[in-house]
Amino acid sequence: MDNKIVMQLSRLFRARFPYIYITTWEEERAINLIRKIAISQNLIKVTRDVYIWTQTKGFTLNGNVIEGTTSPDKALDFVKNCNKNAIFIMCDFHVYFGVKGRQVDYNVVRKIRDSIPDIKTSSFRKNVIFMAPELIIPETMQKEVSIIDLPLPTLDEIKTKLEKMITQNSQIDTSGLNEEVKEKLCKAALGLTLQEAENAFALAMVNDGCIDERDLSIILEQKIQVIRKSGILDYINTDIQISDVGGLENLKNWLNKRNNSWSESAKKYCLPAPKGVLITGVPGCGKSLTAKAMSAAWQLPLLKLDFGKIFSGIVGSSEENMRKAIKTAEAVSPSILWVDEIEKSLSGLNSNGDSGTSSRIFGTFLTWMQEKTAPVFVIATANNIDGLPPELLRKGRFDEIFFVDLPTKKERIEIFKLHLAKRLKDKEVASKIELNDELFDKLADLTEGFVGAEIEQAVISALYEAFFQKKPLEFQDLENVIKTIVPLTKTQKEKILQLRQWANIRAVTATKRDDMEQYNLGEGDKDINGSRGGRALDV
């Protein structure tokens, strides 16, 4: 257990705080912690008995039921009249505080407040702990209750649990479980409750009778369950590899250098976990694809934050949804949080139509990005830079801002290679086209000014033509389709120019400096000949 929470609780007990509220799903773990503190003279000076109350049994002490204490009134009377140094844990007592669908029981609340002088001045040391998975406190009690969030299990606690399970299940094959693999499995389980981690390890053991590095996917599945239960974040299941992203070598190198920066080995260099990146640029050039590829490259869960799910019609619930989304992302960390087209999510900031809800939610998100210590890597993508507020772009929110420009000739060749190799798997379909440097060079020349999405669509459309005519794909099919496509460089030329001008001083180009080339957006565009967006740095 984190020593910080132990010291915090022991100080509250010694200071005779009458009421403490602990929010946690892990009752058993919290009760065991309190029991350890209660018998330690080093921590609380005067040892105490630990009584546990539930609505079904009333108070129990060391497993012995105390009759006549099931009702909240009788339970509070027992606390008042108990002639022992004691800690009273009230499980799910929050149902009397006004949970959804139930009114506040003001008689109970009044009795709690009336008991405060008796608990504080009693010759016996007493503390009452309300324990529940959610925080609900009536307004009239807010000044009398101290709130504590029980942190999720530490790495050491999870390791102890795994080692105990291995000892108890000696028939399990652990030949592939060295210290490095054990640390990987336990780190993957960070963010789960102790019960959830135990379930994941048990599932891994019964799956094939052994536990090793291959069981990382089983632990990840348990994290996916946590994400789905939140109802706000989406888990993105993707098999896209970083090698499936054509070009953008500067951006890929930057990301590769920061892989495993949350590991134990990185701590030797005193490295903080990277905060994130903002990727802006021309639509259809691989921004979202890069976000999806990062999940496989870093072997981390990819969570998508949809601001549409954050906003709700109930007053105050939007802010709570944002806090819940942040808490979930941190709970399953290390993780990647993806905000796609972030400028659309922030479109209501300058409007007064929502009574400032958008601004408050954005402020919460910005503060978290600045102050977060959990290894949650934020990757945000944007097409319209005009919609991005300046406070989002300053250093400290993101580690770097990358600009994705139109693919260079070398990048277009890579994109054609990827899409043709992915789709020409049948020998009969590929019998009339030879995938060589000469072909790729011709296709790259034909598609100058095309974005990656347009190149992919050209390949797909050419294959549709070949399929319709029931013949193998030929170069002529690709050439004919390419000639019919009107690229973004013609329909959005002014917008691309504006993007480049913005990026020249504010962003780093995602393309490697050696791969950059001079080219026009079209005939007669001498004003932008050779101009590319973003600072030409190799990072």
mmCIF file of all heavy atoms in Angstrom, residues 404-446:
data_model
loop_
_atom_site.group_PDB
_atom_site.id
_atom_site.type_symbol
_atom_site.label_atom_id
_atom_site.label_comp_id
_atom_site.label_asym_id
_atom_site.label_seq_id
_atom_site.Cartn_x
_atom_site.Cartn_y
_atom_site.Cartn_z
ATOM 1 N N VAL A 404 1.678 17.693 -40.628
ATOM 2 C CA VAL A 404 1.689 16.669 -41.678
ATOM 3 C C VAL A 404 1.300 17.337 -42.993
ATOM 4 O O VAL A 404 0.154 17.733 -43.180
ATOM 5 C CB VAL A 404 0.717 15.518 -41.337
ATOM 6 C CG1 VAL A 404 0.745 14.470 -42.441
ATOM 7 C CG2 VAL A 404 1.080 14.899 -40.001
ATOM 8 N N ASP A 405 2.260 17.463 -43.880
ATOM 9 C CA ASP A 405 2.035 18.108 -45.179
ATOM 10 C C ASP A 405 1.686 17.048 -46.215
ATOM 11 O O ASP A 405 1.607 15.854 -45.928
ATOM 12 C CB ASP A 405 3.290 18.876 -45.597
ATOM 13 C CG ASP A 405 2.975 20.052 -46.519
ATOM 14 O OD1 ASP A 405 1.950 19.993 -47.227
ATOM 15 O OD2 ASP A 405 3.741 21.019 -46.516
ATOM 16 N N LEU A 406 1.486 17.501 -47.449
ATOM 17 C CA LEU A 406 1.269 16.564 -48.559
ATOM 18 C C LEU A 406 2.460 15.610 -48.651
ATOM 19 O O LEU A 406 3.599 16.014 -48.420
ATOM 20 C CB LEU A 406 1.134 17.319 -49.883
ATOM 21 C CG LEU A 406 -0.026 18.324 -49.992
ATOM 22 C CD1 LEU A 406 0.133 19.152 -51.243
ATOM 23 C CD2 LEU A 406 -1.349 17.593 -49.983
ATOM 24 N N PRO A 407 2.225 14.342 -48.961
ATOM 25 C CA PRO A 407 3.345 13.398 -49.041
ATOM 26 C C PRO A 407 4.312 13.752 -50.167
ATOM 27 O O PRO A 407 3.895 14.135 -51.262
ATOM 28 C CB PRO A 407 2.658 12.053 -49.287
ATOM 29 C CG PRO A 407 1.304 12.382 -49.804
ATOM 30 C CD PRO A 407 0.930 13.695 -49.218
ATOM 31 N N THR A 408 5.603 13.637 -49.887
ATOM 32 C CA THR A 408 6.626 13.833 -50.909
ATOM 33 C C THR A 408 6.607 12.654 -51.877
ATOM 34 O O THR A 408 5.913 11.658 -51.651
ATOM 35 C CB THR A 408 8.010 13.924 -50.269
ATOM 36 O OG1 THR A 408 8.297 12.662 -49.640
ATOM 37 C CG2 THR A 408 8.069 15.036 -49.228
ATOM 38 N N LYS A 409 7.409 12.737 -52.934
ATOM 39 C CA LYS A 409 7.447 11.634 -53.898
ATOM 40 C C LYS A 409 7.890 10.342 -53.228
ATOM 41 O O LYS A 409 7.312 9.268 -53.462
ATOM 42 C CB LYS A 409 8.390 11.972 -55.055
ATOM 43 C CG LYS A 409 8.456 10.861 -56.115
ATOM 44 C CD LYS A 409 9.315 11.247 -57.296
ATOM 45 C CE LYS A 409 9.344 10.109 -58.329
ATOM 46 N NZ LYS A 409 10.164 10.464 -59.515
ATOM 47 N N LYS A 410 8.894 10.428 -52.363
ATOM 48 C CA LYS A 410 9.362 9.232 -51.672
ATOM 49 C C LYS A 410 8.269 8.650 -50.789
ATOM 50 O O LYS A 410 8.090 7.424 -50.710
ATOM 51 C CB LYS A 410 10.591 9.578 -50.833
ATOM 52 C CG LYS A 410 11.216 8.381 -50.126
ATOM 53 C CD LYS A 410 12.483 8.768 -49.383
ATOM 54 C CE LYS A 410 13.088 7.554 -48.663
ATOM 55 N NZ LYS A 410 14.328 7.904 -47.942
ATOM 56 N N GLU A 411 7.513 9.528 -50.147
ATOM 57 C CA GLU A 411 6.423 9.056 -49.293
ATOM 58 C C GLU A 411 5.284 8.475 -50.119
ATOM 59 O O GLU A 411 4.653 7.484 -49.723
ATOM 60 C CB GLU A 411 5.922 10.208 -48.413
ATOM 61 C CG GLU A 411 6.928 10.597 -47.324
ATOM 62 C CD GLU A 411 6.501 11.826 -46.533
ATOM 63 O OE1 GLU A 411 5.801 12.685 -47.103
ATOM 64 O OE2 GLU A 411 6.874 11.926 -45.359
ATOM 65 N N ARG A 412 5.017 9.069 -51.283
ATOM 66 C CA ARG A 412 3.956 8.520 -52.142
ATOM 67 C C ARG A 412 4.331 7.124 -52.625
ATOM 68 O O ARG A 412 3.478 6.235 -52.739
ATOM 69 C CB ARG A 412 3.707 9.449 -53.337
ATOM 70 C CG ARG A 412 3.122 10.800 -52.953
ATOM 71 C CD ARG A 412 2.537 11.548 -54.135
ATOM 72 N NE ARG A 412 3.507 11.850 -55.170
ATOM 73 C CZ ARG A 412 4.314 12.900 -55.187
ATOM 74 N NH1 ARG A 412 4.290 13.749 -54.157
ATOM 75 N NH2 ARG A 412 5.159 13.107 -56.177
ATOM 76 N N ILE A 413 5.600 6.914 -52.926
ATOM 77 C CA ILE A 413 6.064 5.574 -53.319
ATOM 78 C C ILE A 413 5.807 4.578 -52.188
ATOM 79 O O ILE A 413 5.308 3.474 -52.420
ATOM 80 C CB ILE A 413 7.567 5.614 -53.687
ATOM 81 C CG1 ILE A 413 7.762 6.343 -55.030
ATOM 82 C CG2 ILE A 413 8.152 4.209 -53.763
ATOM 83 C CD1 ILE A 413 9.210 6.596 -55.398
ATOM 84 N N GLU A 414 6.127 4.988 -50.943
ATOM 85 C CA GLU A 414 5.904 4.106 -49.795
ATOM 86 C C GLU A 414 4.427 3.797 -49.615
ATOM 87 O O GLU A 414 4.044 2.664 -49.288
ATOM 88 C CB GLU A 414 6.459 4.757 -48.524
ATOM 89 C CG GLU A 414 7.971 4.835 -48.459
ATOM 90 C CD GLU A 414 8.608 3.453 -48.499
ATOM 91 O OE1 GLU A 414 8.111 2.543 -47.804
ATOM 92 O OE2 GLU A 414 9.590 3.284 -49.245
ATOM 93 N N ILE A 415 3.575 4.794 -49.828
ATOM 94 C CA ILE A 415 2.131 4.600 -49.665
ATOM 95 C C ILE A 415 1.596 3.631 -50.723
ATOM 96 O O ILE A 415 0.797 2.733 -50.420
ATOM 97 C CB ILE A 415 1.393 5.956 -49.732
ATOM 98 C CG1 ILE A 415 1.815 6.837 -48.546
ATOM 99 C CG2 ILE A 415 -0.120 5.757 -49.722
ATOM 100 C CD1 ILE A 415 1.360 8.278 -48.641
ATOM 101 N N PHE A 416 2.044 3.788 -51.963
ATOM 102 C CA PHE A 416 1.628 2.849 -53.021
ATOM 103 C C PHE A 416 2.101 1.436 -52.706
ATOM 104 O O PHE A 416 1.371 0.457 -52.891
ATOM 105 C CB PHE A 416 2.168 3.303 -54.383
ATOM 106 C CG PHE A 416 1.227 4.191 -55.142
ATOM 107 C CD1 PHE A 416 1.561 5.509 -55.409
ATOM 108 C CD2 PHE A 416 0.016 3.707 -55.595
ATOM 109 C CE1 PHE A 416 0.691 6.333 -56.102
ATOM 110 C CE2 PHE A 416 -0.867 4.527 -56.303
ATOM 111 C CZ PHE A 416 -0.528 5.846 -56.553
ATOM 112 N N LYS A 417 3.321 1.299 -52.241
ATOM 113 C CA LYS A 417 3.844 -0.027 -51.889
ATOM 114 C C LYS A 417 2.973 -0.695 -50.833
ATOM 115 O O LYS A 417 2.646 -1.881 -50.933
ATOM 116 C CB LYS A 417 5.290 0.103 -51.386
ATOM 117 C CG LYS A 417 6.327 0.326 -52.471
ATOM 118 C CD LYS A 417 7.728 0.402 -51.858
ATOM 119 C CE LYS A 417 8.785 0.592 -52.934
ATOM 120 N NZ LYS A 417 10.157 0.687 -52.356
ATOM 121 N N LEU A 418 2.608 0.079 -49.818
ATOM 122 C CA LEU A 418 1.804 -0.472 -48.720
ATOM 123 C C LEU A 418 0.439 -0.950 -49.209
ATOM 124 O O LEU A 418 0.021 -2.079 -48.921
ATOM 125 C CB LEU A 418 1.619 0.584 -47.632
ATOM 126 C CG LEU A 418 2.811 0.872 -46.729
ATOM 127 C CD1 LEU A 418 2.561 2.111 -45.878
ATOM 128 C CD2 LEU A 418 3.076 -0.327 -45.820
ATOM 129 N N HIS A 419 -0.251 -0.103 -49.978
ATOM 130 C CA HIS A 419 -1.622 -0.438 -50.363
ATOM 131 C C HIS A 419 -1.674 -1.522 -51.441
ATOM 132 O O HIS A 419 -2.582 -2.372 -51.411
ATOM 133 C CB HIS A 419 -2.347 0.822 -50.834
ATOM 134 C CG HIS A 419 -2.655 1.773 -49.719
ATOM 135 N ND1 HIS A 419 -3.444 1.421 -48.641
ATOM 136 C CD2 HIS A 419 -2.273 3.059 -49.502
ATOM 137 C CE1 HIS A 419 -3.535 2.451 -47.807
ATOM 138 N NE2 HIS A 419 -2.832 3.452 -48.311
ATOM 139 N N LEU A 420 -0.733 -1.513 -52.364
ATOM 140 C CA LEU A 420 -0.735 -2.564 -53.389
ATOM 141 C C LEU A 420 -0.317 -3.903 -52.794
ATOM 142 O O LEU A 420 -0.890 -4.947 -53.127
ATOM 143 C CB LEU A 420 0.195 -2.171 -54.540
ATOM 144 C CG LEU A 420 -0.343 -1.042 -55.445
ATOM 145 C CD1 LEU A 420 0.726 -0.585 -56.430
ATOM 146 C CD2 LEU A 420 -1.589 -1.501 -56.199
ATOM 147 N N ALA A 421 0.665 -3.891 -51.908
ATOM 148 C CA ALA A 421 1.089 -5.140 -51.285
ATOM 149 C C ALA A 421 -0.020 -5.707 -50.396
ATOM 150 O O ALA A 421 -0.199 -6.934 -50.306
ATOM 151 C CB ALA A 421 2.350 -4.901 -50.453
ATOM 152 N N LYS A 422 -0.797 -4.826 -49.764
ATOM 153 C CA LYS A 422 -1.858 -5.282 -48.868
ATOM 154 C C LYS A 422 -3.017 -5.906 -49.627
ATOM 155 O O LYS A 422 -3.674 -6.827 -49.123
ATOM 156 C CB LYS A 422 -2.353 -4.078 -48.037
ATOM 157 C CG LYS A 422 -3.418 -4.437 -47.009
ATOM 158 C CD LYS A 422 -3.626 -3.326 -46.004
ATOM 159 C CE LYS A 422 -4.216 -2.081 -46.623
ATOM 160 N NZ LYS A 422 -4.558 -1.066 -45.598
ATOM 161 N N ARG A 423 -3.251 -5.450 -50.876
ATOM 162 C CA ARG A 423 -4.439 -5.904 -51.606
ATOM 163 C C ARG A 423 -4.152 -6.888 -52.740
ATOM 164 O O ARG A 423 -5.035 -7.643 -53.124
ATOM 165 C CB ARG A 423 -5.198 -4.692 -52.148
ATOM 166 C CG ARG A 423 -5.870 -3.900 -51.028
ATOM 167 C CD ARG A 423 -6.666 -2.732 -51.544
ATOM 168 N NE ARG A 423 -7.499 -2.178 -50.479
ATOM 169 C CZ ARG A 423 -7.091 -1.355 -49.544
ATOM 170 N NH1 ARG A 423 -5.834 -0.941 -49.542
ATOM 171 N NH2 ARG A 423 -7.912 -0.929 -48.613
ATOM 172 N N LEU A 424 -2.945 -6.883 -53.256
ATOM 173 C CA LEU A 424 -2.627 -7.808 -54.361
ATOM 174 C C LEU A 424 -2.047 -9.106 -53.800
ATOM 175 O O LEU A 424 -0.887 -9.445 -54.026
ATOM 176 C CB LEU A 424 -1.649 -7.153 -55.340
ATOM 177 C CG LEU A 424 -2.219 -5.978 -56.150
ATOM 178 C CD1 LEU A 424 -1.169 -5.423 -57.084
ATOM 179 C CD2 LEU A 424 -3.462 -6.394 -56.928
ATOM 180 N N LYS A 425 -2.859 -9.834 -53.054
ATOM 181 C CA LYS A 425 -2.415 -11.084 -52.450
ATOM 182 C C LYS A 425 -2.740 -12.291 -53.329
ATOM 183 O O LYS A 425 -2.111 -13.338 -53.207
ATOM 184 C CB LYS A 425 -3.044 -11.242 -51.063
ATOM 185 C CG LYS A 425 -2.568 -10.197 -50.073
ATOM 186 C CD LYS A 425 -3.164 -10.394 -48.695
ATOM 187 C CE LYS A 425 -2.630 -9.343 -47.726
ATOM 188 N NZ LYS A 425 -3.212 -9.508 -46.367
ATOM 189 N N ASP A 426 -3.720 -12.135 -54.193
ATOM 190 C CA ASP A 426 -4.081 -13.221 -55.095
ATOM 191 C C ASP A 426 -3.207 -13.150 -56.348
ATOM 192 O O ASP A 426 -3.120 -12.098 -57.004
ATOM 193 C CB ASP A 426 -5.556 -13.119 -55.485
ATOM 194 C CG ASP A 426 -6.026 -14.312 -56.295
ATOM 195 O OD1 ASP A 426 -5.835 -14.303 -57.529
ATOM 196 O OD2 ASP A 426 -6.556 -15.257 -55.690
ATOM 197 N N LYS A 427 -2.554 -14.260 -56.687
ATOM 198 C CA LYS A 427 -1.620 -14.271 -57.824
ATOM 199 C C LYS A 427 -2.311 -13.968 -59.140
ATOM 200 O O LYS A 427 -1.737 -13.333 -60.029
ATOM 201 C CB LYS A 427 -0.919 -15.631 -57.899
ATOM 202 C CG LYS A 427 0.043 -15.887 -56.742
ATOM 203 C CD LYS A 427 0.737 -17.224 -56.894
ATOM 204 C CE LYS A 427 1.711 -17.473 -55.740
ATOM 205 N NZ LYS A 427 2.395 -18.780 -55.843
ATOM 206 N N GLU A 428 -3.548 -14.416 -59.291
ATOM 207 C CA GLU A 428 -4.268 -14.179 -60.550
ATOM 208 C C GLU A 428 -4.569 -12.697 -60.726
ATOM 209 O O GLU A 428 -4.398 -12.140 -61.810
ATOM 210 C CB GLU A 428 -5.566 -14.984 -60.555
ATOM 211 C CG GLU A 428 -6.330 -14.861 -61.868
ATOM 212 C CD GLU A 428 -7.610 -15.677 -61.870
ATOM 213 O OE1 GLU A 428 -7.751 -16.582 -61.013
ATOM 214 O OE2 GLU A 428 -8.468 -15.417 -62.722
ATOM 215 N N VAL A 429 -5.001 -12.036 -59.650
ATOM 216 C CA VAL A 429 -5.312 -10.605 -59.727
ATOM 217 C C VAL A 429 -4.052 -9.796 -60.011
ATOM 218 O O VAL A 429 -4.090 -8.770 -60.710
ATOM 219 C CB VAL A 429 -5.971 -10.132 -58.418
ATOM 220 C CG1 VAL A 429 -6.218 -8.624 -58.442
ATOM 221 C CG2 VAL A 429 -7.278 -10.865 -58.179
ATOM 222 N N ALA A 430 -2.902 -10.238 -59.495
ATOM 223 C CA ALA A 430 -1.641 -9.498 -59.647
ATOM 224 C C ALA A 430 -0.820 -9.962 -60.842
ATOM 225 O O ALA A 430 0.319 -9.507 -61.020
ATOM 226 C CB ALA A 430 -0.822 -9.642 -58.374
ATOM 227 N N SER A 431 -1.358 -10.825 -61.703
ATOM 228 C CA SER A 431 -0.558 -11.453 -62.763
ATOM 229 C C SER A 431 -0.135 -10.490 -63.869
ATOM 230 O O SER A 431 0.849 -10.745 -64.572
ATOM 231 C CB SER A 431 -1.339 -12.623 -63.386
ATOM 232 O OG SER A 431 -2.570 -12.153 -63.942
ATOM 233 N N LYS A 432 -0.858 -9.350 -64.049
ATOM 234 C CA LYS A 432 -0.562 -8.437 -65.155
ATOM 235 C C LYS A 432 0.168 -7.172 -64.711
ATOM 236 O O LYS A 432 0.345 -6.257 -65.507
ATOM 237 C CB LYS A 432 -1.873 -8.026 -65.834
ATOM 238 C CG LYS A 432 -2.576 -9.149 -66.598
ATOM 239 C CD LYS A 432 -1.854 -9.447 -67.909
ATOM 240 C CE LYS A 432 -2.614 -10.464 -68.741
ATOM 241 N NZ LYS A 432 -3.861 -9.938 -69.313
ATOM 242 N N ILE A 433 0.570 -7.118 -63.435
ATOM 243 C CA ILE A 433 1.253 -5.916 -62.946
ATOM 244 C C ILE A 433 2.478 -6.335 -62.141
ATOM 245 O O ILE A 433 2.417 -7.234 -61.305
ATOM 246 C CB ILE A 433 0.289 -5.057 -62.087
ATOM 247 C CG1 ILE A 433 0.901 -3.681 -61.819
ATOM 248 C CG2 ILE A 433 -0.106 -5.742 -60.806
ATOM 249 C CD1 ILE A 433 -0.110 -2.679 -61.282
ATOM 250 N N GLU A 434 3.598 -5.722 -62.435
ATOM 251 C CA GLU A 434 4.838 -6.056 -61.755
ATOM 252 C C GLU A 434 5.185 -4.944 -60.774
ATOM 253 O O GLU A 434 5.378 -3.786 -61.150
ATOM 254 C CB GLU A 434 5.974 -6.228 -62.772
ATOM 255 C CG GLU A 434 7.261 -6.749 -62.149
ATOM 256 C CD GLU A 434 8.348 -7.008 -63.182
ATOM 257 O OE1 GLU A 434 8.044 -6.959 -64.387
ATOM 258 O OE2 GLU A 434 9.497 -7.241 -62.777
ATOM 259 N N LEU A 435 5.230 -5.300 -59.496
ATOM 260 C CA LEU A 435 5.496 -4.313 -58.449
ATOM 261 C C LEU A 435 6.997 -4.071 -58.345
ATOM 262 O O LEU A 435 7.704 -4.707 -57.567
ATOM 263 C CB LEU A 435 4.930 -4.800 -57.109
ATOM 264 C CG LEU A 435 3.427 -5.112 -57.074
ATOM 265 C CD1 LEU A 435 3.009 -5.565 -55.687
ATOM 266 C CD2 LEU A 435 2.608 -3.898 -57.508
ATOM 267 N N ASN A 436 7.480 -3.132 -59.125
ATOM 268 C CA ASN A 436 8.906 -2.807 -59.125
ATOM 269 C C ASN A 436 9.097 -1.298 -58.979
ATOM 270 O O ASN A 436 8.130 -0.526 -58.965
ATOM 271 C CB ASN A 436 9.587 -3.329 -60.392
ATOM 272 C CG ASN A 436 8.890 -2.845 -61.667
ATOM 273 O OD1 ASN A 436 8.310 -1.756 -61.697
ATOM 274 N ND2 ASN A 436 8.939 -3.656 -62.727
ATOM 275 N N ASP A 437 10.348 -0.872 -58.896
ATOM 276 C CA ASP A 437 10.657 0.555 -58.689
ATOM 277 C C ASP A 437 10.145 1.419 -59.832
ATOM 278 O O ASP A 437 9.718 2.559 -59.612
ATOM 279 C CB ASP A 437 12.167 0.733 -58.526
ATOM 280 C CG ASP A 437 12.687 0.141 -57.229
ATOM 281 O OD1 ASP A 437 11.862 -0.093 -56.325
ATOM 282 O OD2 ASP A 437 13.909 -0.093 -57.114
ATOM 283 N N GLU A 438 10.199 0.892 -61.049
ATOM 284 C CA GLU A 438 9.745 1.667 -62.206
ATOM 285 C C GLU A 438 8.249 1.971 -62.104
ATOM 286 O O GLU A 438 7.808 3.096 -62.373
ATOM 287 C CB GLU A 438 10.026 0.881 -63.487
ATOM 288 C CG GLU A 438 9.638 1.650 -64.751
ATOM 289 C CD GLU A 438 9.898 0.849 -66.027
ATOM 290 O OE1 GLU A 438 10.440 -0.277 -65.930
ATOM 291 O OE2 GLU A 438 9.548 1.363 -67.111
ATOM 292 N N LEU A 439 7.458 0.950 -61.690
ATOM 293 C CA LEU A 439 6.010 1.158 -61.539
ATOM 294 C C LEU A 439 5.719 2.190 -60.456
ATOM 295 O O LEU A 439 4.938 3.128 -60.679
ATOM 296 C CB LEU A 439 5.343 -0.173 -61.183
ATOM 297 C CG LEU A 439 3.876 -0.069 -60.762
ATOM 298 C CD1 LEU A 439 2.998 0.282 -61.961
ATOM 299 C CD2 LEU A 439 3.397 -1.349 -60.101
ATOM 300 N N PHE A 440 6.359 2.038 -59.323
ATOM 301 C CA PHE A 440 6.092 2.955 -58.215
ATOM 302 C C PHE A 440 6.540 4.375 -58.552
ATOM 303 O O PHE A 440 5.897 5.343 -58.138
ATOM 304 C CB PHE A 440 6.786 2.456 -56.942
ATOM 305 C CG PHE A 440 6.217 1.169 -56.415
ATOM 306 C CD1 PHE A 440 7.041 0.079 -56.168
ATOM 307 C CD2 PHE A 440 4.862 1.052 -56.174
ATOM 308 C CE1 PHE A 440 6.518 -1.101 -55.675
ATOM 309 C CE2 PHE A 440 4.323 -0.129 -55.676
ATOM 310 C CZ PHE A 440 5.150 -1.215 -55.432
ATOM 311 N N ASP A 441 7.613 4.511 -59.294
ATOM 312 C CA ASP A 441 8.087 5.827 -59.702
ATOM 313 C C ASP A 441 7.065 6.515 -60.608
ATOM 314 O O ASP A 441 6.777 7.706 -60.453
ATOM 315 C CB ASP A 441 9.433 5.691 -60.415
ATOM 316 C CG ASP A 441 10.130 7.041 -60.560
ATOM 317 O OD1 ASP A 441 10.557 7.599 -59.535
ATOM 318 O OD2 ASP A 441 10.204 7.537 -61.704
ATOM 319 N N LYS A 442 6.492 5.757 -61.552
ATOM 320 C CA LYS A 442 5.478 6.318 -62.453
ATOM 321 C C LYS A 442 4.231 6.735 -61.687
ATOM 322 O O LYS A 442 3.673 7.811 -61.917
ATOM 323 C CB LYS A 442 5.100 5.271 -63.509
ATOM 324 C CG LYS A 442 6.139 5.040 -64.589
ATOM 325 C CD LYS A 442 5.632 4.004 -65.582
ATOM 326 C CE LYS A 442 6.659 3.746 -66.677
ATOM 327 N NZ LYS A 442 6.181 2.698 -67.630
ATOM 328 N N LEU A 443 3.790 5.861 -60.770
ATOM 329 C CA LEU A 443 2.590 6.168 -60.003
ATOM 330 C C LEU A 443 2.803 7.393 -59.113
ATOM 331 O O LEU A 443 1.898 8.224 -58.955
ATOM 332 C CB LEU A 443 2.194 4.958 -59.140
ATOM 333 C CG LEU A 443 1.688 3.729 -59.892
ATOM 334 C CD1 LEU A 443 1.520 2.546 -58.932
ATOM 335 C CD2 LEU A 443 0.362 4.025 -60.582
ATOM 336 N N ALA A 444 3.986 7.523 -58.532
ATOM 337 C CA ALA A 444 4.284 8.675 -57.681
ATOM 338 C C ALA A 444 4.265 9.969 -58.490
ATOM 339 O O ALA A 444 3.792 11.006 -58.015
ATOM 340 C CB ALA A 444 5.632 8.492 -56.997
ATOM 341 N N ASP A 445 4.787 9.908 -59.721
ATOM 342 C CA ASP A 445 4.770 11.096 -60.582
ATOM 343 C C ASP A 445 3.346 11.481 -60.975
ATOM 344 O O ASP A 445 3.013 12.668 -61.071
ATOM 345 C CB ASP A 445 5.601 10.836 -61.837
ATOM 346 C CG ASP A 445 7.103 10.849 -61.558
ATOM 347 O OD1 ASP A 445 7.504 11.474 -60.546
ATOM 348 O OD2 ASP A 445 7.861 10.227 -62.325
ATOM 349 N N LEU A 446 2.510 10.467 -61.220
ATOM 350 C CA LEU A 446 1.125 10.731 -61.619
ATOM 351 C C LEU A 446 0.306 11.343 -60.490
ATOM 352 O O LEU A 446 -0.691 12.028 -60.740
ATOM 353 C CB LEU A 446 0.448 9.426 -62.064
ATOM 354 C CG LEU A 446 0.836 8.871 -63.435
ATOM 355 C CD1 LEU A 446 0.259 7.472 -63.622
ATOM 356 C CD2 LEU A 446 0.337 9.794 -64.551
#
